[in-house]
Amino acid sequence: EVQLVESGGGLVQAGGSLRLSCAASGFTFDDYAIGWFRQAPGKEREGVSCISSSDGSTYYADSVKGRFTISSDNAKNTVYLQMNSLKPEDTAVYYCAAVEGSSTVVAPLGEYEYDRWGQGTQVTVSS
């Protein structure tokens, strides 16, 4: 069974840090794009970051550049999102998603590109 399981969410004060994990099972990260997305209450889901498991290319939304770092441990089939200098506007449910064939992805932060999704983890940043 193909599964993506996020963990690491929680409540943190503004300026704090969290590290999210996305563990995959049922498939290997040989050639996948793994993305992180988030959805705040009343808002559409937006792409946050993406990494290619084949060449390590990374992409970030402008709103998180310089604060968030995505990384991949292919041996553990796990992708991480290190989030620093968190702001209240980062509050959202964070989802990881995957699609095979990272070289074919045209819009790395476009959710329509991805066909495997996790259940999400809540991140709440208090002011």
Side-chain angles (χ1 to χ4, degrees), residues 4-62:
L4 294 170
V5 179
E6 302 95 335
S7 62
L11 173 64
V12 64
Q13 288 188 331
S17 299
L18 284 173
R19 189 177 80 155
L20 305 184
S21 299
C22 172
S25 60
F27 67 99
T28 57
F29 280 0
D30 292 339
D31 181 20
Y32 275 81
I34 311 297
W36 282 99
F37 296 79
R38 67 186 181 186
Q39 187 166 22
K43 294 187 176 181
E44 294 186 352
R45 189 155 55 186
E46 62 172 348
V48 174
S49 184
C50 168
I51 187 167
S52 165
S53 65
S54 60
D55 64 8
S57 300
T58 57
Y59 305 86
Y60 296 94
D62 288 343

Side-chain angles (χ1 to χ4, degrees), residues 73-92:
D73 186 336
N74 288 2
K76 294 183 178 180
N77 254 26
T78 301
V79 169
Y80 305 97
L81 186 68
Q82 178 67 43
M83 305 186 297
N84 298 328
S85 302
L86 283 162
K87 305 175 181 179
E89 50 264 44
D90 294 319
T91 295

